[in-house]
Amino acid sequence: MAKKIALLQGNEACAYGALYAGCRFFGGYPITPSTEVAEVMAKELPKNGGKFIQMEDEIAAIASVLGASLTGAKALTASSGPGISLKQELIGYACIAEIPCVIVNVMRGGPSTGMPTGPSQSDIMQARWGTHGDHAAIAVAPASCQEIFSETVRAFNLAETYRMPVQVLLDEINGHMRERIELPEPGDLEIIDRQTPPVSPDQYLPYDPSFGDIPPLAAFGSGYRFHVTGLNKAADGFPTTKAKLVDAEERRQLRKVEANRELIEKNEEHMIEDAEIVIVAIGTISRSARNAVNQLREQGMKVGLFRPITLWPFPERRIAELAGQAKAMIIPEMNLGQMILEVERIVKGACDLHGIGRVDGEPITPSQIMEKIKEVC
Amino acid sequence: MSFDYDKYLRPGKLPHIWCPGCGHGIILKGLLRAIDACELNKDNTAIVSGIGCASRLPGYVDFNTLHTAHGRAAAFATGIKMAKPEMNVLVVGGDGDGVAIGGNHFIHACRRNIDMTYVICNNFIYGMTGGQFSPCTPTGDRASTTPYGNPDPVFDISQLAIGAGATFVARSTSFHAAQIDKLIAEGIRHKGMAVIEILDDCPTTYGRRNKFRSVVDMMKRFKEQAVPVAKAEKMSKEELDSKIVTGILHREERPEYCEQYAQVVKTARSL
Amino acid sequence: MSTPRLEIIEQYCKGCSICVEFCPTNVLEMDGFLVKVVRPEACIGCMQCELRCPDFAIKVHKD
């Protein structure tokens, strides 16, 4: 049977990906350039038994999402930089209380109100370190509309598997750009549902480490009565200040991601095998980088593209390997040098690093990347 | 007959963290009597709070309990109720949590008329952080951040709730312990947003700074100031000055939010 | 009707004295930081002490 084809905007593909993944709750607040995600969810969710609510502010939007998720619903919110700044309070809550949810950030210029209709990748570090306190983070950064669909599905899978918030980073360009996409049929993409407790309610502890690093989360209203708090807590979910217990819980939460890097990481490599110059780029800018690689290859230059699709956790092992192979790495990003800091930390001087930053509301072009490569290599 | 609170308390959690004389314990007991009177099923009931002394209440009770971030209880509770409308959703918290940092969520929960019961423990102060003034601290009173007297005007929580659209609003005090459960129970039975404001005491951080010798003195002033609604209706504005009107202040029927959304679902599916 | 029996749960009592002050028949007294039943025979079972105790520390049994 022929695949269903649709012409979808990135934001729409994101919403349809969420629905495909089984999302049944959306809590949002209008903000450019993310609003189309909410608009599709408002239209589609009531048709399939889901709920859509537009809340009074950004914080309330993610609060409603966390409340809904605690009842067992797969839940989504979408926003952009200024809204994500507000949501940081409860992204931290989702981390410590270990409540699965997906947060879409269609990045725009900043800081503050910035450039609402201008593209940006300036929330790379915010996606990792935006909320206070030590915490693990997972963020995916798709490039095309097709990939926005499938990565949104994967974001839900990761959120439910690791019992934590997962961010989908888009930007004003791939959020608003329209592309032909093949809509997956049910069963084409893997869907992971939340693990339910294998024990009876009287034996259930919401953070029981005997289940391993990722204890199953029961749903409110399912007969498992338990307590959830944003305070440091013990395995039973109740607050504690006992040094040993707090330490163990904090470390377990970081381990959820750290010990499963191989399963969470996802990268794309393009002409990397013999590359002496490796471009590291994500999302929209990886498209410019791919074009630059193709053009430079035609000119005989050994250039390749390394594209983290999972941005966080950052692909440390592979970047370190590539640093041993390459003479130089080029890091084009729509900000003034964020991802390059992470690359620098991993590469430790093993090869030259050159950043290309742009924050004027225009994307980094293939020719800009090529010029830089010719200038420094 | 002595009420069996143990039926609803999580074992091993008492004594609670509240100071000697704190009214929150009186409200907790009233809440449990109300839940009992309404025969709420524990598995099917969520109790949500924000941050502050009063917001520690859910930790003591054997329901689906959620101690959220400062001010956010009503917004989390809205998500729970929307996602699972068959659950009974109760919210508890203090004055600062509810109408300062959480003010926006509070008024919009009232506006939506979503079916939940919000018990707000108004002790006129931020107790947990050591007694800073809240939007409910009487003008002129002392708090740690109003060492020369509070210059701020006061929020009337019940009137705020009525103005914002809550369809059941009632008020009582920690002195009127036997009334607390009756009002909360009425609020639980009401379909829509019910706000029950209970004035209570923080002898530790408010009483001491404002010349109350003891919590008993504080409770006695509630006794003196309280005027039941029926009596208040016959009194002038001047006579009601510095009085506390108690009882059911407002009740109306208006479509409830989850039911309204069910209509949206019907429309969406019929197209 | 027999006289109600008062039960004090000492480990919960924080000594606020609310029950002592609002008892209409002066059944209770403070003993340092703990409440003590001093005139059990005067108890009329009005429940005011139990209702107002913030600490679950006093029960009125009317069996």
Side-chain angles (χ1 to χ4, degrees):
Chain A
M1 206 177 88
K3 288 277 179 199
K4 265 195 219 157
I5 305 295
L7 180 69
L8 289 183
Q9 203 183 43
N11 284 346
E12 293 166 350
C14 176
Y16 285 107
L19 291 163
Y20 183 95
C23 174
R24 288 295 172 269
F25 186 92
F26 184 94
Y29 187 81
I31 183 169
T32 304
S34 80
T35 307
E36 295 82 3
V37 183
E39 287 171 345
V40 172
M41 296 309 266
K43 188 174 153 215
E44 299 296 337
L45 275 173
K47 291 185 197 167
N48 66 17
K51 306 286 168 66
F52 169 91
I53 188 166
Q54 183 172 308
M55 292 296 284
E56 56 274 12
D57 61 37
E58 293 278 1
I59 304 172
I62 187 169
S64 71
V65 159
L66 298 183
S69 180
L70 280 170
T71 71
K74 289 187 181 178
L76 176 74
T77 188
S79 188
S80 184
I84 299 291
S85 292
L86 289 164
K87 290 188 197 301
Q88 291 302 341
E89 171 188 304
L90 297 184
I91 292 175
Y93 191 91
C95 288
I96 196 167
E98 299 180 72
I99 305 172
C101 66
V102 175
I103 300 147
V104 178
N105 177 0
V106 188
M107 293 182 281
R108 70 190 222 190
S112 189
T113 312
M115 197 156 20
T117 54
S120 164
Q121 294 179 325
S122 54
D123 299 345
I124 287 176
M125 281 299 171
Q126 193 203 32
R128 177 63 191 89
W129 295 113
T131 195
H132 65 276
D134 286 308
H135 58 277
I138 301 178
V140 299
S144 67
C145 291
Q146 185 78 52
E147 196 175 65
I148 289 172
F149 187 106
S150 58
E151 281 303 297
T152 304
V153 174
R154 195 168 72 96
F156 274 95
N157 289 345
L158 291 166
E160 297 295 339
T161 302
Y162 297 103
R163 198 181 156 179
M164 62 185 283
V166 173
Q167 296 192 46
V168 178
L169 295 185
L170 311 180
D171 63 64
E172 192 281 327
I173 294 176
N174 66 9
H176 281 159
M177 141 186 102
R178 286 184 188 276
E179 287 182 310
R180 173 191 186 276
I181 86 165
E182 279 184 5
L183 292 172
E185 295 290 328
D188 285 354
L189 300 182
E190 185 190 23
I191 303 291
I192 296 174
D193 291 321
R194 196 173 301 178
Q195 207 191 334
T196 50
V199 295
S200 60
D202 58 314
Q203 295 184 332
Y204 176 67
L205 300 176
Y207 305 96
D208 188 347
S210 71
F211 290 118
D213 286 341
I214 309 151
L217 174 61
F220 272 14
S222 69
Y224 289 80
R225 297 190 302 272
F226 58 100
H227 186 59
V228 180
T229 177
L231 288 161
N232 280 106
K233 80 283 178 194
D236 60 6
F238 292 98
T240 183
T241 51
K242 286 191 180 122
K244 247 188 169 169
L245 296 178
V246 171
D247 184 80
E249 271 292 291
E250 286 253 338
R251 287 176 195 277
R252 177 182 62 73
Q253 290 196 12
L254 296 201
R255 231 168 25 237
K256 291 198 295 188
V257 168
E258 210 45 50
N260 293 293
R261 275 177 169 271
E262 301 282 308
L263 297 169
I264 301 168
E265 283 180 16
K266 186 177 172 187
N267 311 304
E268 191 203 9
E269 300 184 354
H270 176 62
M271 300 200 175
I272 212 86
E273 213 161 278
D274 61 342
E276 292 169 356
I277 297 157
V278 173
I279 306 174
V280 181
I282 60 160
T284 295
I285 298 309
S286 71
R287 298 166 73 117
S288 299
R290 182 189 306 271
N291 185 288
V293 168
N294 293 345
Q295 289 194 51
L296 291 171
R297 281 280 174 176
E298 275 173 26
Q299 295 168 25
M301 289 183 78
K302 289 185 174 174
V303 184
L305 166 67
F306 178 75
R307 178 169 78 92
I309 300 170
T310 300
L311 173 66
W312 300 113
F314 203 67
E316 294 179 2
R317 189 186 50 79
R318 188 61 183 138
I319 296 256
E321 278 170 13
L322 292 173
Q325 155 191 338
K327 282 191 219 152
M329 285 188 176
I330 311 293
I331 299 99
E333 47 187 332
M334 282 190 283
N335 59 58
L336 292 180
Q338 295 190 18
M339 191 163 65
I340 195 171
L341 296 173
E342 198 67 6
V343 176
E344 207 170 74
R345 183 178 71 77
I346 295 155
V347 166
K348 295 186 179 73
C351 69
D352 290 343
L353 299 182
H354 303 282
I356 307 170
R358 188 158 191 181
V359 288
D360 60 357
E362 296 293 330
I364 296 168
T365 59
S367 50
Q368 206 183 342
I369 297 171
M370 289 190 290
E371 272 164 34
K372 183 75 176 185
I373 290 173
K374 286 178 177 166
E375 175 198 320
V376 298
C377 299
Chain B
M1 193 57 217
S2 176
F3 184 86
D4 181 16
Y5 295 102
D6 290 344
K7 199 166 130 189
Y8 298 103
L9 290 170
R10 287 184 165 128
K13 298 289 173 199
L14 292 182
H16 52 59
I17 60 158
W18 298 316
C19 299
C22 172
H24 296 344
I26 301 174
I27 299 173
L28 164 57
K29 290 168 73 180
L31 176 71
L32 295 180
R33 294 194 302 277
I35 285 172
D36 191 70
C38 295
E39 297 178 336
L40 299 189
N41 177 301
K42 286 188 196 178
D43 287 336
N44 205 32
T45 301
I47 303 188
V48 186
S49 69
I51 293 292
C53 295
S55 288
R56 286 304 190 95
L57 185 151
Y60 300 110
V61 293
D62 187 16
F63 299 90
N64 302 275
T65 55
L66 178 58
H67 176 222
T68 73
H70 203 12
R72 313 301 172 212
F76 274 81
T78 298
I80 294 174
K81 187 68 188 179
M82 267 294 269
K84 243 184 197 169
E86 65 272 23
M87 285 191 84
N88 311 299
V89 178
L90 292 95
V91 182
V92 291
D95 44 320
D97 183 65
V99 300
I101 193 164
N104 202 28
H105 313 309
F106 179 76
I107 58 174
H108 286 275
C110 293
R111 173 179 64 83
R112 289 188 193 98
N113 194 34
I114 191 161
D115 187 25
M116 59 173 77
T117 307
Y118 196 136
V119 178
I120 190 155
C121 311
N122 179 3
N123 63 0
F124 321 108
I125 205 82
Y126 285 94
M128 189 158 266
T129 44
Q132 298 73 37
F133 77 99
S134 87
C136 300
T137 304
T139 307
D141 276 10
R142 301 288 161 137
S144 77
T145 46
T146 56
Y148 309 109
N150 177 22
D152 277 35
V154 176
F155 253 157
D156 179 330
I157 294 175
S158 290
Q159 290 303 325
L160 179 68
I162 295 168
T167 48
F168 180 95
V169 180
R171 189 195 282 130
S172 188
T173 83
S174 57
F175 173 81
H176 302 83
Q179 188 185 34
I180 294 174
D181 49 298
K182 310 277 180 308
L183 294 178
I184 296 176
E186 284 286 312
I188 292 170
R189 291 188 190 109
H190 177 81
K191 186 88 181 168
M193 179 72 178
V195 176
I196 296 95
E197 179 191 12
I198 312 291
L199 305 183
D200 73 334
D201 290 311
C202 179
T204 307
T205 73
Y206 176 74
R208 282 190 313 189
R209 284 195 180 89
N210 291 286
K211 301 194 171 115
F212 289 100
R213 280 180 303 127
S214 70
V215 67
V216 172
D217 281 0
M218 299 178 83
M219 289 174 79
K220 281 181 178 163
R221 88 88 124 102
F222 284 151
K223 183 185 176 186
E224 286 152 19
Q225 290 176 333
V227 178
V229 175
K231 195 177 166 194
E233 278 165 2
K234 295 176 198 130
M235 290 167 70
S236 69
K237 204 167 171 258
E238 291 70 38
E239 286 172 317
L240 282 171
D241 194 37
S242 82
K243 296 287 184 201
I244 300 163
V245 182
T246 58
I248 297 170
L249 307 179
H250 178 75
R251 176 148 49 182
E252 65 174 306
E253 295 299 320
R254 195 156 64 75
E256 189 273 331
Y257 190 76
C258 295
E259 290 182 355
Q260 288 291 93
Y261 194 79
Q263 286 302 316
V264 170
V265 169
K266 246 186 185 171
T267 309
R269 285 179 167 174
S270 70
L271 293 175
Chain C
M1 198 182 85
S2 62
T3 309
R5 179 173 60 83
L6 288 170
E7 180 190 358
I8 308 287
I9 299 105
E10 289 191 1
Q11 69 267 32
Y12 294 166
C13 178
K14 292 176 185 161
C16 68
S17 82
I18 289 173
C19 57
V20 175
E21 297 290 334
F22 290 110
C23 173
T25 53
N26 302 315
V27 172
L28 305 161
E29 265 180 25
M30 291 307 293
D31 179 14
F33 286 105
L34 275 183
V35 64
K36 204 175 169 187
V37 183
V38 289
R39 294 177 55 212
E41 70 285 356
C43 179
I44 55 170
C46 70
M47 307 293 293
Q48 295 301 313
C49 57
E50 183 186 309
L51 275 170
R52 292 207 184 90
C53 170
D55 295 296
F56 300 88
I58 187 163
K59 289 182 182 177
V60 183
H61 299 286
K62 300 188 216 176
D63 19 53

